[in-house]
Amino acid sequence: MRSVRRGSYFFVLAAASLACLCVTNPSRVAAQGGEPQYFAIRGATVVPVSGPKLENVTVIISRGIISAVAKDAAIPDEAWVIDGNGLTVYPGLIDSFTDVGIPATTPPSGEGGGAGAGGARQQGPISQGPEDRPGAMPWRTAANEASLSDKRVETWRSTGFTTVISAPKGGMFPGQAAILDLQGERNGDMVVKAPVAIPVSLQPVGNFNSFPGSLMGAIAYVRQVWLDTDWWSKAESIYEKNSRGIEHPRYERTDAALAEALGEHAMVLVPANTSREIRRSFNLAENWRMHLAENLRPNVVLYGGQMSYEVAEEIAAKKLSVLVNLKWPEAEKDGDPDEIPSLNTLRFRDRAPTSPAALAKAGAKFAFYSDAITAPKDIVKAVKKSIDAGLAPDAALRALTLSAAEIFGVADRLGSVEKGKIANLVVTDGDVFNEKTKIKYVFVDGRRFEVRESEKSKEAPKSDLSGKWKMTYTTPEGDEESTADITMASDGSLSGSITSSRGTANIISGNLTADKFTFTVNIDLEGSPTDVVFIGTFDGKTIKGTISVAGYNIEFTGTRPDSHSLAELHSVSGSGDAR
Amino acid sequence: MTKRRGVPFTFIAICLPAASVLYAKAANRPAAAPEPAPVILIQNATILTVSHGTIEHGSLLIRDGKIAEVGANVKAPKDAQVIDAAGQFVMPGIIDCHSHIAIDGNVNEGSVSVSSMVNIADVLNPDDISIYRDLAGGVTVANVLHGSANAIGGQTVVIKLRWGQPASKLPFEGALPGIKFALGENPKRSNFSVPGQPKRYPATRMGVEETIRAAFVEARDYKAAWDSYNKRTAAGEKNLIPPRRDLKLEPLVEVLEGKRYVHAHCYREDEILMLLRVAKEFGFKVRTLQHVLEGYKVADEIAAAGVGASTFSDWWAYKVEAYEAIPYNAALMTRRGVVVSVNSDNAEEATHLNQEAAKSIRYGGLTHDEALKLVTINPAMQLGIDKRVGSIDAGKDADLVIYNHDPLSDYAVAQKTLIDGRVYFDRQRDIAERPAREKEKKDLLEKEKKAAAEKKAAGEAGKKAEEKKPEENKPEEKPKPPQAQILGGGR
């Protein structure tokens, strides 16, 4: 992508197409970089979340900050004025626990042993106990790994998410989470605060040969790591005072990283989806409270929370906050149709979306996170499901904004439309939870992103375009190949990326209508953003069509060597990112 | 009592009120402590006390979860709920000294030869349907053990089968915690391996002994290090680096201090004697030998060491080290003065431990009461809870099971099981509730189907348009390593 040569449109086009073929996102958001720093949304309806709804109000954005929210706010001369008539201004939405903004990568293996990523269970070195620190990489930080190259920065943003609490993935101590705003010229622009949380997983990373191979092993391991962190902190400071004739305490980077993050008041995110997991997390918190020095005592936040409908009052009584997983449990799509689930399983699937309402009723603080939801527009739909199950819309909006900011200690700068806060805003033409509502603009750190409507699929797609495509075409330089990693949503909208030897670019809009597809990537062509459009047909097995850029066209064809290896696909697109 | 006697109370009608309170709560997964236990009078029953013979047409009064009175004539307050058990048998709740029910995730932390850092109490699963099924077989207490994959396995916990209560309410209050040891084929790894990975130590029976020995040497040193640190700190020394807390060694120190019971899986006479020698050397006691299928060969040594034996009724020959098993084992050890229990090691087996106990009458000639003891007071003694449970005596916990026949009969079916004076299983109630449960299930399935159809109709389903699979983060899922079941080697 960076090696675009002057004058060669073909070349650019090829690079772009190779780079980026994302087909899911129906709406397009284009950054208006280097443009106005001052905006005025005049006479709009404002839902500040921190207070009651305001009508006919002007919101002024000055250099990334909300500088006024008032009826009579003075509009600076240099402001770009948006007529707010018929528009509603919301705070930017927050996804409270995700890895959006952190491109997939092959994580380094844990200290001394253990499989690193969740998928690499059998491949890591054998771990012979907690001392080997299997699956522990808490020194990884979202702040360091945040990258604008993650295609989801754009797709999440265009559905109204301005902010994510993002953490690296993989293992039992995957790394430190940061609060990221979904915009920037450089990766570092994204980071609002770091570290904010240390996620812990109790999914054992070992097996019958490698510790931990059981849930109880995972729990024992986590406990031992905290005791060791506690010991290490003490031992180190004592040794500094009195080192003569004493063996120096062993440095352990897991413990050092944890101690440092805890010292910065990072929350500890503990998995707690079912009632017994939630109650187990109470025990863990209690154990920590009993056995650890005060400065290392984790401030526990639960994540999962889908069975909170059973234990919401206990959670509230413990004054714990919950990040509620919006990927509601449902029947396995490929499950055995003859296998009838247990009554408990059926009840769980039925009642999970009532959990937020139960938490609200009990007075427990909660926020939402997307977890395994891959199509961002399904996130708000999933929230809608909890509204249908009894959650007040105001409470739902709060969970998506101010509550999240409060849980992570940044309500001073995020989560509501208030003077002085970061200008993260979603401007819509109606109620944010109404399916027909369109997002007009998204402001992140005061930068304006316009959400362009893409053409809706008029006909249901005939087949699934998702997969890893190998595309071939001929540029003026000769034959070329690229890989397109495409995900098709249920309505035919397309997302993904295109990777070639030149780099990776993201699909910003696209859809499949019957057997006709179109998708667009946007590349930088001699300093100005230029659309590259792919149009063609899909016969169920292969694709062919035309790539158009700046008036030039080239033919291309594509095949899907392995239509089912979506997991592999994911890693390929990740490693292709220029980082 | 005479007032009530002869009144045609029907069993079901009378106990429904008591039971319905409990069941309603169970369904809703009560968060708070249960209601106070009701005052219950069981009358007209054949009461098998285990400790002091059989009382025909006896009555039993339950108050505050305890057995208040038992005898031929018992005065009950007017507000007592009456269970008329005419023609039925009441016995102490069955105690299963070797169980693996109610565990979330793998029963083995098999990766290491000493896995004492893990604790079954951390992963109790109160939703395991096996709890309810075992209740339906009259079991009220279970010794929930780690698997036998390691010479020294995980920490264990004694639970009461309080179905419907959260995990924190399952452990038997005041029961000493335990730890699982295992000897023989399972902890040694000559028979198992994970392809492509080196075999774990030990590979021989000699190595199993060495593993236990080495762990206790380490534990002794650990204890000494802490004792020294505490002493020096108490003497006013400053700036000492404390020993690192080690969750693996702490339970072994507890064993050395007599604060934790050792439950040792074993088969052969040689390994049984080996463990008794090692225990003597390090100054701890083995509380129970589990399985102990060759125990009859060394019954005198076991009795002399004061160790309990918890065995199977008649399982044998499922592997070489079980070839020498005989169904007379329980009876022979009993006759040599060993406290013997018969256990299940298996959720299904646990549903008929009464019949397993009965087999020792046929094989070995135990008396009726001796056979009953195998699943009541004897396992209670082995678990150190015999002051609370295991027989029907005033003052003990009202953990009871009511059978329609003599419990040692093949025709015996548990009718009600009580724990702490509360009815946790009621056969009639269960039967009555089945249609409602079936209906709920059917309705929920229909609802799901309908929702799926609507989604499809709305043009959203796009059957072929699958989204990417969720990658992880489902805490519910617990992928089991390959061969875990085989390697788990319950027995």
Side-chain angles (χ1 to χ4, degrees):
Chain A
M1 286 288 286
R2 311 237 151 95
S3 64
V4 169
R5 285 182 208 162
R6 239 158 245 261
S8 169
Y9 285 161
F10 281 112
F11 194 61
V12 169
L13 132 64
S17 64
L18 313 189
C20 207
L21 210 149
C22 277
V23 197
T24 296
N25 184 18
S27 44
R28 163 168 180 189
V29 177
Q32 312 293 306
E35 281 166 25
Q37 305 258 14
Y38 298 87
F39 295 91
I41 307 167
R42 190 169 56 192
T45 301
V46 175
V47 181
V49 176
S50 52
K53 191 193 242 191
L54 309 166
E55 298 291 351
N56 197 18
V57 157
T58 297
V59 179
I60 311 284
I61 297 166
S62 307
R63 305 188 73 86
I65 304 297
I66 301 168
S67 58
V69 184
K71 276 201 162 44
D72 51 356
I75 297 175
D77 291 344
E78 61 271 58
W80 175 326
V81 180
I82 295 167
D83 179 6
N85 187 25
L87 299 181
T88 308
V89 180
Y90 291 97
L93 306 184
I94 301 175
D95 187 345
S96 293
F97 183 29
T98 176
D99 65 339
V100 166
I102 304 174
T105 177
T106 313
S109 72
E111 176 93 26
R121 289 168 64 87
Q122 305 273 346
Q123 286 151 20
I126 289 174
S127 143
Q128 296 184 325
E131 292 72 23
D132 284 342
R133 297 288 185 265
M137 289 146 286
W139 54 86
R140 286 180 72 188
T141 68
N144 288 343
E145 297 188 24
S147 170
L148 293 157
S149 71
D150 185 343
K151 66 194 175 198
R152 297 170 300 177
V153 168
E154 207 167 333
T155 56
W156 250 246
R157 188 175 61 209
S158 43
T159 47
F161 285 88
T162 60
T163 308
V164 293
I165 286 83
S166 195
K169 264 192 166 174
M172 292 181 54
F173 296 93
Q176 300 169 25
I179 298 180
L180 305 179
D181 269 354
L182 296 179
Q183 73 83 32
E185 284 175 35
R186 295 197 164 71
N187 295 338
D189 292 341
M190 298 167 77
V191 181
V192 177
K193 187 178 179 191
V196 289
I198 306 163
V200 172
S201 160
L202 292 177
Q203 188 88 5
V205 291
N207 56 30
F208 205 67
N209 241 22
S210 188
F211 183 89
S214 64
L215 177 62
M216 55 190 165
I219 292 172
Y221 172 37
V222 168
R223 283 226 280 258
Q224 183 70 61
V225 164
W226 244 276
L227 286 177
D228 288 353
T229 300
D230 187 50
W231 176 84
W232 183 80
S233 306
K234 273 184 210 146
E236 202 203 21
S237 71
I238 294 171
Y239 182 72
E240 279 308 308
K241 289 180 205 146
N242 181 23
S243 56
R244 270 297 167 96
I246 293 176
E247 272 187 296
H248 66 83
R250 179 173 65 195
Y251 173 79
E252 172 62 72
R253 70 169 158 164
T254 291
D255 308 6
L258 285 177
E260 193 181 341
L262 290 167
E264 293 179 52
H265 308 292
M267 315 278 153
V268 174
L269 309 186
V270 176
N273 205 39
T274 63
S275 301
R276 54 183 195 265
E277 288 166 342
I278 290 168
R279 287 175 173 144
R280 217 170 264 151
S281 71
F282 298 161
N283 296 345
L284 198 58
E286 177 62 13
N287 181 282
W288 280 333
R289 201 184 61 74
M290 303 260 299
H291 293 285
L292 300 178
E294 209 167 331
N295 60 323
L296 294 175
R297 236 172 254 169
N299 200 346
V300 170
V301 173
L302 312 184
Y303 70 91
Q306 292 182 323
M307 222 185 260
S308 298
Y309 58 88
E310 283 188 348
V311 289
E313 281 170 17
E314 291 174 55
I315 295 170
K318 302 260 177 199
K319 297 195 176 10
L320 288 169
S321 302
V322 187
L323 309 179
V324 178
N325 183 350
L326 285 169
K327 182 79 183 173
W328 302 118
E330 52 186 17
E332 287 259 346
K333 275 180 187 153
D334 306 323
D336 178 355
D338 292 334
E339 196 184 299
I340 297 171
S342 71
L343 183 55
N344 273 349
T345 303
L346 289 169
R347 279 179 181 163
F348 179 41
R349 284 187 208 155
D350 185 48
R351 296 178 193 174
T354 66
S355 285
L359 286 166
K361 192 174 164 219
K365 187 161 283 179
F366 65 98
F368 287 121
Y369 72 102
S370 57
D371 191 55
I373 295 176
T374 50
K377 63 186 166 46
D378 290 344
I379 302 174
V380 175
K381 270 190 201 165
V383 175
K384 183 75 182 3
K385 226 172 162 181
S386 69
I387 294 172
D388 294 343
L391 180 66
D394 286 355
L397 181 64
R398 199 176 200 287
L400 279 168
T401 54
L402 192 54
S403 293
E406 286 167 354
I407 290 171
F408 290 100
V410 287
D412 55 345
R413 64 202 86 166
L414 288 172
S416 60
V417 184
E418 284 181 273
K419 183 180 174 184
K421 285 202 175 182
I422 294 173
N424 287 355
L425 305 170
V426 183
V427 183
T428 67
D429 65 359
D431 185 294
V432 73
F433 294 119
N434 186 326
E435 273 188 39
K436 290 186 178 146
T437 295
K438 304 258 183 303
I439 294 175
K440 294 299 202 184
Y441 311 101
V442 178
F443 287 88
V444 189
D445 282 321
R447 291 182 77 187
R448 172 178 166 276
F449 298 87
E450 198 164 338
V451 180
R452 280 199 255 154
E453 264 311 299
S454 77
E455 270 183 56
K456 275 266 176 210
S457 305
K458 291 185 183 71
E459 253 183 87
K462 277 194 175 158
S463 30
D464 188 2
L465 197 66
S466 299
K468 185 165 133 187
W469 291 90
K470 201 172 98 178
M471 300 195 301
T472 55
Y473 42 85
T474 306
T475 72
E477 290 196 329
D479 290 346
E480 282 205 7
E481 252 183 40
S482 67
T483 308
D485 164 3
I486 298 177
T487 304
M488 186 175 82
S490 49
D491 64 354
S493 58
L494 306 174
S495 65
S497 64
I498 302 177
T499 305
S500 76
S501 53
R502 301 162 194 261
T504 296
N506 296 328
I507 293 170
I508 47 179
S509 76
N511 67 68
L512 177 66
T513 302
D515 61 347
K516 305 260 189 297
F517 66 82
T518 169
F519 51 86
T520 306
V521 296
N522 190 272
I523 60 162
D524 183 59
L525 180 57
E526 296 184 337
S528 64
T530 305
D531 283 354
V532 182
V533 183
F534 295 68
I535 296 174
T537 56
F538 175 37
D539 63 10
K541 281 187 176 165
T542 61
I543 51 174
K544 64 178 178 183
T546 310
I547 308 172
S548 311
V549 60
Y552 292 84
N553 295 309
I554 3 172
E555 304 296 312
F556 77 97
T557 59
T559 55
R560 200 161 36 176
D562 179 5
S563 54
H564 296 295
S565 67
L566 290 175
E568 191 190 0
L569 219 179
H570 199 73
S571 67
V572 167
S573 74
S575 59
D577 285 323
R579 292 174 357 94
Chain B
M1 243 16 284
T2 44
K3 218 169 145 195
R4 294 192 182 209
R5 204 171 267 171
V7 177
F9 284 131
T10 70
F11 179 158
I12 304 168
I14 293 171
C15 56
L16 268 181
S20 61
V21 170
L22 183 104
Y23 272 78
K25 295 205 72 127
N28 295 326
R29 294 262 164 255
E35 316 265 321
V39 178
I40 297 176
L41 178 75
I42 301 173
Q43 62 181 25
N44 293 330
T46 302
I47 299 176
L48 308 169
T49 66
V50 175
S51 57
H52 57 282
T54 299
I55 305 169
E56 302 286 349
H57 303 293
S59 297
L60 197 160
L61 181 69
I62 299 166
R63 188 184 284 127
D64 299 328
K66 303 276 184 194
I67 298 168
E69 225 182 315
V70 58
N73 282 302
V74 173
K75 282 208 169 131
K78 277 185 186 162
D79 58 344
Q81 296 172 13
V82 177
I83 295 174
D84 187 72
Q88 302 191 318
F89 291 72
V90 182
M91 71 172 276
I94 290 173
I95 298 170
D96 184 357
C97 197
H98 190 130
S99 173
H100 298 295
I101 63 169
I103 295 173
D104 244 344
N106 206 326
V107 65
N108 273 299
E109 177 52 58
S111 58
V112 286
S113 51
V114 178
S115 67
S116 43
M117 73 291 276
V118 310
N119 193 342
I120 293 291
D122 284 340
V123 291
L124 284 178
N125 175 4
D127 305 324
D128 183 358
I129 192 68
S130 295
I131 296 175
Y132 186 69
R133 290 177 180 157
D134 289 2
L135 262 178
V139 180
T140 53
V141 172
N143 186 26
V144 185
L145 299 177
H146 182 276
S148 55
N150 347 61
I152 295 180
Q155 301 163 51
T156 66
V157 61
V158 180
I159 63 168
K160 284 202 179 191
L161 273 53
R162 295 176 181 124
W163 176 246
Q165 297 291 320
S168 61
K169 298 277 191 265
L170 295 185
F172 194 118
E173 305 79 5
L176 223 50
I179 188 165
K180 180 76 176 285
F181 282 18
L183 313 178
E185 295 302 323
N186 291 9
K188 80 187 179 70
R189 282 304 158 81
S190 46
N191 299 327
F192 322 117
S193 65
V194 175
Q197 295 190 353
K199 283 180 182 173
R200 195 201 72 195
Y201 180 83
T204 65
R205 282 168 192 262
M206 296 179 285
V208 172
E209 176 177 357
E210 195 274 342
T211 301
I212 296 172
R213 213 175 267 286
F216 275 100
V217 168
E218 216 183 328
R220 226 160 42 178
D221 291 349
Y222 178 71
K223 182 172 159 25
W226 270 106
D227 287 348
S228 153
Y229 170 79
N230 288 332
K231 207 171 143 194
R232 289 174 66 186
T233 309
E237 277 196 64
K238 295 260 184 290
N239 291 329
L240 291 176
I241 296 179
R244 166 185 171 272
R245 278 193 63 188
D246 191 327
L247 295 179
K248 181 180 84 172
L249 297 176
E250 285 180 4
L252 300 184
V253 171
E254 288 172 357
V255 169
L256 290 173
E257 292 172 342
K259 294 174 184 163
R260 183 176 288 279
Y261 289 155
V262 173
H263 301 291
H265 158 118
C266 59
Y267 284 90
R268 281 179 12 189
E269 53 170 325
D270 55 347
E271 69 195 15
I272 293 167
L273 295 177
M274 176 275 284
L275 184 65
L276 297 182
R277 279 195 304 271
V278 171
K280 198 173 173 189
E281 179 185 329
F282 283 92
F284 67 85
K285 275 215 158 180
V286 177
R287 187 71 188 186
T288 67
L289 295 164
Q290 296 285 335
H291 310 330
V292 60
L293 297 188
E294 291 187 17
Y296 63 95
K297 297 183 183 177
V298 288
D300 288 344
E301 287 83 352
I302 296 172
V307 175
S310 187
T311 189
F312 297 135
S313 56
D314 56 359
W315 283 356
W316 71 294
Y318 41 87
K319 52 179 169 175
V320 173
E321 62 183 353
Y323 277 15
E324 302 265 303
I326 54 173
Y328 297 87
N329 193 33
L332 287 174
M333 288 194 290
T334 300
R335 289 285 173 257
R336 306 303 292 200
V338 180
V339 175
V340 179
S341 62
V342 166
N343 68 45
S344 78
D345 195 11
N346 174 290
E348 188 281 327
E349 183 87 351
T351 62
H352 47 84
L353 275 173
N354 53 320
Q355 292 167 2
E356 298 311 306
K359 288 174 182 172
S360 289
I361 300 179
R362 168 70 180 77
Y363 298 106
L366 290 192
T367 65
H368 191 278
D369 268 8
E370 283 173 330
L372 278 180
K373 284 182 180 178
L374 295 177
V375 292
T376 54
I377 193 69
N378 285 5
M381 287 163 72
Q382 293 174 340
L383 298 172
I385 51 176
D386 50 306
K387 290 213 161 52
R388 290 270 306 274
V389 291
S391 64
I392 297 181
D393 287 294
K396 281 199 166 181
D397 295 5
D399 290 10
L400 303 164
V401 48
I402 305 175
Y403 282 97
N404 57 348
H405 289 279
D406 184 316
L408 299 183
S409 152
D410 273 355
Y411 299 101
V413 174
Q415 303 298 311
K416 278 187 208 303
T417 308
L418 290 81
I419 297 174
D420 306 328
R422 294 181 183 85
V423 179
Y424 276 85
F425 169 75
D426 180 331
R427 186 171 162 76
Q428 297 308 322
R429 176 90 200 177
D430 184 281
I431 291 168
E433 281 181 344
R434 281 175 205 175
R437 278 200 296 268
E438 279 308 311
K439 183 174 182 307
E440 186 186 355
K441 195 166 178 175
K442 205 175 139 217
D443 290 350
L444 285 170
L445 278 167
E446 284 300 314
K447 195 174 167 188
E448 279 193 354
K449 260 190 207 157
K450 210 175 137 198
E454 273 170 11
K455 207 173 165 191
K456 203 173 175 184
E460 288 185 27
K463 220 178 179 183
K464 293 167 188 169
E466 285 179 7
E467 295 169 10
K468 274 190 188 174
K469 282 265 156 180
E471 278 153 53
E472 54 170 336
N473 252 334
K474 276 194 197 160
E476 195 69 37
E477 275 177 33
K478 275 157 238 101
K480 286 191 178 144
Q483 301 180 22
Q485 290 307 322
I486 306 163
L487 297 182
R491 293 160 206 140

